[in-house]
Every structure is written in C-alpha cells, then in structure tokens.
C-alpha cells in the first residue's frame, strides 16, 4: 500500500528532475486521510531523500555538465579568423550519458534508471575583424584578431507552449537567455600549396566567456481528477501540478585550432581546449487539491473548472480531504572540462556554413550548426 503512493509521487518527480538539496512535504487534512497508509509522510520524505542523494543529485550534475559543453559551442567559431564582418544564427546542443543507477530501500525498490542530461542553446552571432573596423592595412597585426559575439533572448508563450506540446492542458512560460563572446588571434598565418588549392590554416588561439539562463513556469491542468487506489478503495485527487525551474550556467574557455582548406571552399577544422564552468539550479514542484474517497457518485469526475463548486452537502457525506505534495530545492556545481574539436566550414560566396562537434569525455558530446553572411 505504501509502495503505491510513493511510486506515484516519485515517478512524477523523476520526469521533471530535482536539485542537489531538497525539501519535500506531504500534507493531508480531512476525513479521507484515514485511507492513506499510516506514516506515509515520514516514510515518503525519507525515501525521497535517499532517492535524491543516490539518483537525482547525479542526474542534476549530468544535466549541468551537458549545459557546460553546450555553452562552449554557442559562438559557432569555425576556423577562428574573420576577414571583415559576419552575421548569422546558430544552435548548440549537448548530450551526456552516464551509467544507469538503481535506488532501493526497505520501502521501495526502483528499477535501473538512466542518468542522462541534455542542453540546447540558440544564438544570434555577430563576428568582426577589429583591424578591418579600424581601417588598418592587411599586414597590420590588428588584422590577426577576430571578435565573436553571440546572444539570444527567447520566450515561449502559453499559446506557443500548447501548440508545441499539442496539449491544451499546459499553461506557463519558458524563457531562455544567453550571451557571450570570444577574442581570437591568428598566431601562425595560413600557408598555401599547389596554387592554394590546399592550405594549412595555421594556428588560431582564442579565449571566451559565455552565460546561459533558463526559466520554466509550467502548470499542468488536469482535465479530471486522478485516480489513486489503496487496498481496493479508490480515491480521486483533483488540483493542478505546478512546476518552476531556473538554471544559470557560466563558462570560460580557451582553445587552439588548426586545419586544412580545400579548393577555396571547404575548411576541415581540428583542435582542443579547456573550460572552467559553474552552474546553479533551483526548482519547485507541487500539487494540492481535493481528495475524495467514494463508492458511487464522485463529484471529482467533473471537469477541473467545476471542482471548486462541488456541493458542500455531498462533500459532507463523502470522506474527503485536501491532499498536497511539494518539493523545493537548489543546487550548485563546478567543473573543468577539457574538450576536442572537429568541424567543417563551407564558404559559398557570401554564405558561410559552420558545423562543429565537441568531445568532452566519455559519452559527453556537443554539436553546433550555424549559417552566416560574410561581408
């Protein structure tokens, strides 16, 4: 009986994730609370704490580290050298998979669960050569510098959220904000062979800083109350599920790049670097609503907008309560990540297309793709 209740709550939590430090609260007031397993609050909070330490902490760390590597790719660098000025857009995504984790105690035994993370960061890019901007000669040392800037402020409204999810039961807002840049220097100049049909791109060094913030405020509006069963007695739990999540990731990185150019169009890129990263998250998950245990007529079969208008006389004849569950917490993480770079840059007249892949260690990958107009 206890396993049924805890499994419902904990599986719900798994899908949204929890931070490093957690405060869980299970509350029930009313006559229907007698149908709940005795001591479920104490047992439930103890199990959640164990679950958080052995599984959710690790999932949080995995997601943050995916965000670190995604941050690195937001500038969509390519060869690292800008002739004059470039403007375009790009998207950077990262994924991280670690070994599965199994959590169990005297109350609940979970199956092995995946420890995976992911992050996506879209950007608008502006790149320029400061030497060209200042009007210096082609041979002037300032022409060896390139500046790469990126930024984006995206907001997904309630209507867009419902359209993307194809579900009218979702309400809320999602915002993603990112910005940053890199300063790069062509340490060793390019050198051509075979009438410049093949070129060695020299050595290009860069250092940058990047910031990304994500905010989620979501509510899932239940169409009808959910069914919970305790030893053959069915109960209905109304109310909506509210979820908020905030994440901030900062990355400072330095890398070196080289590669080969082919036929004035394609440039193969290889390199490596190191990043210093820090991230914080905070979240809350909660649901509170009427809880009824009944055999015949159940007013919580009504649509959610009418649940608050239930006849009080009917409620008095039916075991009822207010059932609530909430989780609040926050976390911090720091990590340095070394990474390898491989990419391809295509120059087609004024259009430049850059695709890059980053490898940050076992099962930690990132990729970015961008298109820019080069003037």
């Amino acid at each position: 009986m206890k396993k049924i209740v805890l499994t419902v709550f904990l599986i719900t939590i798994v899908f949204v994730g929890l931070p490093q430090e957690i405060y869980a609260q299970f509350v029930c007031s009313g006559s229907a609370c007698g149908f709940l397993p005795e001591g479920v609050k104490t047992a439930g909070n103890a199990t959640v704490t164990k679950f958080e330490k052995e599984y959710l902490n690790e999932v949080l760390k995995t997601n943050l580290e995916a965000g670190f590597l995604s941050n690195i790719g937001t500038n969509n660098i390519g060869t690292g050298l800008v002739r004059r000025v470039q403007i375009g857009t790009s998207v950077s995504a990262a994924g991280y998979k670690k070994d599965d984790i199994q959590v169990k105690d005297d109350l609940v035994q979970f199956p092995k669960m995946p420890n995976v993370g992911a992050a996506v960061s879209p950007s608008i890019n502006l790149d320029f050569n400061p030497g060209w901007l200042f009007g210096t000669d082609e041979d002037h040392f300032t022409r060896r510098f390139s500046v790469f800037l990126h930024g984006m402020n995206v907001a997904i409204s309630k209507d867009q959220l419902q359209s993307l999810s194809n579900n009218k039961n979702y309400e809320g807002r999602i915002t993603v904000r990112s910005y940053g840049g890199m300063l790069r220097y062509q340490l060793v100049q390019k050198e051509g062979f075979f009438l410049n049909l093949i070129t060695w791109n020299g050595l290009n060094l860069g250092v940058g800083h990047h910031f990304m913030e994500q905010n989620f405020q979501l509510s899932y509006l239940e169409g009808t109350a959910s069914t919970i069963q305790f030893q053959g007695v069915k109960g209905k739990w109304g109310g909506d599920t509210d979820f908020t999540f905030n994440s901030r990731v900062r990355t400072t990185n330095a890398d070196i790049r080289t590669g080969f150019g082919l036929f004035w169009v394609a440039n193969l890129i290889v390199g490596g670097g190191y990043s210093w990263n820090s991230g914080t998250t905070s979240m809350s998950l909660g649901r509170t609503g009427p809880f009824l245990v009944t055999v015949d007529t159940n007013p919580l079969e009504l649509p959610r907008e009418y649940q608050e208008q239930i006849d009080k006389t009917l409620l008095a004849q039916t075991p009822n309560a207010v059932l609530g569950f909430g989780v609040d917490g926050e976390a911090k993480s720091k990590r340095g990540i070394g990474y390898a770079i491989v990419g391809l840059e295509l120059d087609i007249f004024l259009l430049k297309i850059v695709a890059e892949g980053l490898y940050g260690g076992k099962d930690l990958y990132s990729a970015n793709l961008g298109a820019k107009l080069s003037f």
Side-chain angles (χ1 to χ4, degrees), residues 100-172:
D100 293 347
I101 299 174
Q102 185 176 38
V103 179
K104 61 181 179 179
D105 60 13
D106 295 337
L107 187 62
V108 178
Q109 178 173 326
F110 294 91
K112 284 189 175 181
M113 293 169 289
N115 183 6
V116 297
V120 178
S121 180
S123 293
I124 294 176
N125 304 99
L126 173 63
D127 317 325
F128 62 89
N129 186 298
W132 169 81
L133 190 64
F134 298 146
T136 60
D137 295 334
E138 289 286 344
D139 295 331
H140 197 270
F141 80 95
T142 56
R143 289 292 185 114
R144 293 192 175 200
F145 287 95
S146 297
V147 177
F148 292 79
L149 303 176
H150 72 87
M152 178 68 80
N153 192 346
V154 178
I156 300 177
S157 66
K158 168 186 170 182
D159 292 339
Q160 292 170 325
L161 180 65
Q162 291 177 346
S163 176
L164 289 171
S165 65
N166 196 28
N167 193 327
K168 299 298 183 181
N169 287 358
Y170 284 106
E171 285 189 352

Side-chain angles (χ1 to χ4, degrees), residues 189-210:
Q189 294 283 39
K190 291 184 177 182
E191 187 171 346
F193 306 93
F194 308 112
L195 300 177
N196 288 327
L197 291 176
I198 299 177
T199 60
W200 176 58
N201 291 336
L203 295 175
N204 187 276
L205 302 176
V207 60
H209 183 74
H210 319 280

Side-chain angles (χ1 to χ4, degrees), residues 300-318:
L300 288 192
E301 294 290 356
L302 295 171
R304 61 174 301 280
E305 58 266 27
Y306 299 112
Q307 290 174 12
E308 294 183 358
Q309 303 177 24
I310 297 174
D311 188 342
K312 303 301 181 182
T313 303
L314 180 60
L315 287 177
Q317 299 171 0
T318 306

